[in-house]
């Protein structure tokens, strides 16, 4: 996904980028509308979870819950969890241990686990973690009011049913942690790809696309409320496919992108994640046609070696991947930013195969990369059929090598923005200085520049004079 810091460990911690962008995983909104109970929610994992927490909050807001930014004040604490790597789950276990202390001081408090870890562990979570009252999978959030009532009545509550058609299309998310400028819009759920290392198909269920009208309406609504950027979210946005019930309308991802881009030229449109096997030239041409569709593509390779890619069941090989990168550069030009996810130490990965990952990264020169050591997930095809045979220290050493290549690439890619003027959408005050603003250029790089009279939500022409691998530094051109 496009924002490194939303992933758990294993990412390249590009100093200022992380410092500028790190979202607090907790509710920061205190609604105080006099509802009888208070919800405190924390989100972990990918942007899908952040987006889902906004749906959950909306459902509970309609059922008697205000939100609070203090766990101590809450009547209900929900952790929206991730299961992608073992360390993601460990983090939740530690958090639950801590919250158990809060519960001791406040016996009426209910604690629920939502999301992918809930779906993966199901009732085991109630047994393993005694302080959990409720376990709710990603497709069962409409059932939350009933589940809470069951807990009120002294029972433990579980709903981990996965749906084939739930998209929460009709629910207007309550924006949490919002800067009022950029928002995530979920366009599909689940994944049908079955990459052998990945737990997502098991925790999120079958792929389904959300009604295109509801996506456009949500984007329009956001724009009318002052938002200036939407990020369309799905595990594989290129396979977005929606048809109206009467069969008269068919919308693919390129068409959806266009419909959202047409909401307003002042609304920036981003999307994540693109799958190398599915990204079409039609999508690239649509990006080219609309200035407000940002020229940034997150195109995870996972490995640079074709045999490893086959073992991962990614269904493309190195040449195919490089061809897609060539198509992006051909249609959208060298300036289009490209990022990747990479896994080191996948089952059976040899030193030569690892070298292929490094050489792919050298060949593409990614703008960003999110890099992870392989973590075996129980129940996945890799766990069932392949040996997790690369020693932890080897995985880690390979990860370090991958990170080193990426650090050089990130710096090189950022350096090309220096000496140029960019349109920056201001997201807020820089975390490091009240006197500076933070925003992004079209290609997603973060820029810090002196505040002057500018405000969040403004588009500002910024001359970039300096950079690190993580951040650009500039001045608004009018003020030079
Ligand atoms: N749908 C996206 C990825 C979602 S998961 C895609 O297809 O690219 C985000 C990233 O986590 C993946 O791209 C992968 O790099 C990483 N990941 C997934 N499972 C993993 C595992 N078992 N161990 C280490 N990293 C993993
Ligand atoms: Fe996981 Fe592959 Fe689906 Fe991405 S495309 S969520 S890596 S199964
Ligand atoms: Fe994690 Fe689930 Fe997202 S496993 S990465 S929260 S889809």
């Amino acid at each position: 996904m496009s924002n490194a810091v939303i992933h758990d460990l294993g990412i390249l911690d590009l100093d200022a980028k992380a410092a500028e962008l790190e979202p607090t995983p907790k509710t920061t909104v205190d609604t105080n509308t006099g509802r009888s109970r208070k919800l405190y929610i924390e989100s972990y994992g990918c942007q899908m979870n952040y987006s889902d927490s906004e749906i959950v909050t909306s459902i509970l807001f309609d059922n008697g819950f205000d939100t609070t930014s203090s766990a101590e004040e809450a009547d209900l604490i929900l952790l929206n969890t991730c299961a992608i790597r073992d360390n993601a789950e460990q983090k939740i276990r530690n958090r639950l241990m801590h919250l158990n202390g809060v519960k001791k001081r406040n016996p009426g408090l209910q604690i629920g686990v939502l999301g992918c870890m809930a779906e993966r562990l199901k009732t085991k979570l109630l047994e393993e973690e005694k302080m959990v009252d409720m376990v709710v999978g990603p497709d069962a959030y409409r059932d939350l009011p009933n589940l809470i009532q069951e807990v009120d009545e002294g029972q433990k509550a579980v709903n981990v049913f996965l749906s084939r058609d739930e998209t929460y299309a009709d629910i207007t998310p309550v924006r949490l942690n919002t800067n009022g400028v950029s928002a995530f819009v979920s366009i599909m759920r689940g994944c049908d790809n079955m990459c052998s290392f990945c737990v997502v198909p098991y925790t999120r269920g079958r792929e389904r696309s959300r009604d295109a009208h509801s996506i456009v309406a949500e984007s329009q609504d956001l724009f009318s409320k002052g938002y200036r950027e939407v990020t369309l979210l799905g595990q594989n946005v290129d396979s977005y496919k929606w048809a109206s019930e009467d069969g008269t309308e068919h919308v693919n991802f390129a068409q959806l992108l266009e419909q959202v881009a047409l909401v307003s030229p002042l609304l920036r449109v981003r999307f994540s994640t693109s799958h190398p096997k599915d990204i079409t030239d039609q999508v690239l041409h649509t990006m080219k046609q609309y200035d407000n569709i940002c020229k940034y593509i997150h195109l995870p390779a996972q490995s640079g070696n074709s045999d490893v890619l086959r073992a991962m069941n990614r269904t493309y090989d190195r040449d195919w991947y490089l061809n897609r990168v060539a198509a992006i550069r051909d249609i959208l030009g060298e300036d289009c930013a490209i990022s990747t996810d990479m896994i080191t130490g996948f089952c059976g990965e040899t030193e030569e195969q690892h070298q292929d990952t490094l050489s792919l990264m050298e060949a593409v020169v990614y703008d960003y990369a999110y890099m992870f050591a392989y973590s075996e997930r129980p129940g996945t095809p890799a766990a069932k059929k392949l040996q997790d045979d690369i020693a932890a220290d080897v995985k880690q050493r390979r990860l370090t090598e991958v990170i080193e290549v990426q650090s050089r690439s990130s710096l090189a890619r950022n350096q090309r923005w220096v000496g140029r003027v960019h349109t920056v959408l201001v997201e807020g005050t820089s975390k490091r200085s009240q006197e500076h603003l933070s925003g992004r250029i079209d290609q997603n790089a973060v820029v810090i520049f002196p505040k002057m009279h500018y405000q969040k939500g403004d588009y500002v022409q910024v001359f970039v004079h300096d950079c690190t691998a993580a951040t650009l530094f500039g001045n608004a051109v009018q003020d030079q």
Side-chain angles (χ1 to χ4, degrees), residues 1-18:
M1 300 250 142
S2 65
N3 192 339
V5 289
I6 286 178
H7 284 296
D8 58 294
L9 301 175
I11 56 150
L12 173 58
D13 179 22
L14 289 172
D15 54 328
K17 182 177 171 71

Side-chain angles (χ1 to χ4, degrees), residues 193-478:
N193 280 319
M194 303 301 282
C195 302
S196 63
F197 51 80
C198 185
V199 78
V200 172
Y202 306 91
T203 62
R204 294 257 161 189
R206 299 304 298 268
E207 181 184 289
R208 63 221 99 122
S209 296
R210 177 180 168 189
D211 181 330
H213 297 289
S214 76
I215 297 167
V216 174
E218 187 175 329
S219 306
Q220 274 161 343
D221 181 53
L222 285 162
F223 184 73
S224 72
K225 291 182 171 136
Y227 286 81
R228 290 294 172 264
E229 182 177 271
V230 292
T231 302
L232 307 180
L233 291 181
Q235 293 298 353
N236 177 1
V237 290
D238 303 292
S239 62
Y240 176 87
K241 197 164 161 238
W242 176 80
S244 59
E245 264 171 30
D246 60 7
T248 54
E249 271 183 282
H250 292 264
V251 183
N252 68 17
F253 183 58
Q255 292 158 333
L256 179 74
L257 255 186
E258 175 163 48
Q259 290 181 14
V260 178
L262 287 169
V263 166
S264 165
L266 289 178
L267 183 71
R268 277 187 171 178
V269 185
R270 299 186 184 277
F271 55 89
S272 188
T273 298
S274 301
H275 197 299
K277 81 173 159 60
D278 292 321
I279 188 166
T280 61
D281 287 356
Q282 193 193 0
V283 166
L284 302 178
H285 287 298
T286 306
M287 289 176 74
K288 187 183 165 89
Q289 200 183 334
Y290 292 91
D291 283 345
N292 58 326
I293 304 180
C294 292
K295 306 299 180 277
Y296 167 49
I297 300 176
H298 184 51
L299 193 72
Q302 314 295 1
S303 165
N305 177 272
S306 295
D307 290 329
V308 174
L309 287 169
R310 193 170 318 114
M312 287 177 164
N313 196 30
R314 288 290 288 183
T315 69
Y316 54 84
D317 61 12
R318 181 184 171 102
D319 284 349
W320 172 278
Y321 186 88
L322 285 169
N323 278 334
R324 295 322 298 155
V325 171
I328 292 168
R329 298 212 158 130
D330 187 35
I331 295 167
L332 292 167
E334 279 298 314
D335 273 357
C336 182
I338 305 179
S339 61
T340 187
D341 293 348
M342 288 294 188
I343 297 177
T344 64
F346 185 62
C347 308
E349 185 190 65
T350 64
E351 276 313 312
E352 291 73 41
Q353 290 171 333
H354 165 61
Q355 290 299 325
D356 285 345
T357 294
L358 298 177
S359 75
L360 182 85
M361 295 177 80
E362 301 272 13
V364 176
V365 195
Y366 290 105
D367 291 71
Y368 318 97
Y370 310 124
M371 296 155 284
F372 314 98
Y374 174 58
S375 164
E376 185 178 83
R377 309 311 293 133
T380 55
K384 286 189 196 148
K385 292 189 214 123
L386 302 171
Q387 282 284 329
D388 180 14
D389 53 0
I390 308 300
D393 59 333
V394 175
K395 286 179 184 170
Q396 211 53 45
R397 193 252 306 147
R398 291 180 187 171
L399 180 61
T400 308
E401 289 172 10
V402 161
I403 290 173
E404 276 166 8
V405 173
Q406 186 52 39
S407 301
R408 287 199 300 277
S409 296
S410 292
L411 183 61
R413 294 295 279 175
N414 267 353
Q415 277 166 341
R416 91 202 133 126
W417 304 130
V418 176
R420 292 166 63 174
V421 173
H422 302 266
T423 305
V424 173
L425 174 59
V426 179
E427 293 178 5
T429 308
S430 161
K431 283 201 177 142
R432 292 186 173 178
S433 152
Q434 287 296 311
E435 299 311 310
H436 289 76
L437 293 173
S438 167
R440 283 175 216 229
I441 66 170
D442 178 321
Q443 294 85 352
N444 211 37
V446 173
V447 188
I448 308 293
F449 65 100
K451 195 181 220 161
M452 315 296 291
H453 54 279
Y454 298 106
Q455 295 175 0
K456 73 177 180 184
D458 287 348
Y459 283 106
V460 184
Q461 297 300 309
V462 175
F463 175 80
V464 170
H465 57 71
D466 208 354
C467 76
T468 64
T471 313
L472 309 176
F473 301 95
N475 289 303
V477 279
Q478 290 92 325

Side-chain angles (χ1 to χ4, degrees), residues 26-32 37-42 57 61 65-77 109 176:
K26 65 182 183 86
T27 325
T28 53
V29 183
D30 287 276
T31 48
N32 290 326
R37 294 162 105 180
K38 286 197 166 147
L39 161 71
Y40 170 87
I41 184 164
E42 285 181 7
T57 305
F61 196 67
F65 282 85
D66 267 323
T67 59
T68 170
S69 56
S70 154
E72 303 279 337
E73 268 187 18
D75 302 295
L76 171 64
I77 295 181
L109 172 66
L176 300 168

Side-chain angles (χ1 to χ4, degrees), residues 28-60:
T28 53
V29 183
D30 287 276
T31 48
N32 290 326
T33 60
R35 286 169 164 76
S36 58
R37 294 162 105 180
K38 286 197 166 147
L39 161 71
Y40 170 87
I41 184 164
E42 285 181 7
S43 313
Y44 297 82
C46 66
Q47 290 157 336
M48 297 293 236
N49 262 10
Y50 283 72
S51 173
D52 280 2
S53 290
E54 300 185 329
I55 287 165
V56 166
T57 305
S58 175
I59 291 169
L60 291 181

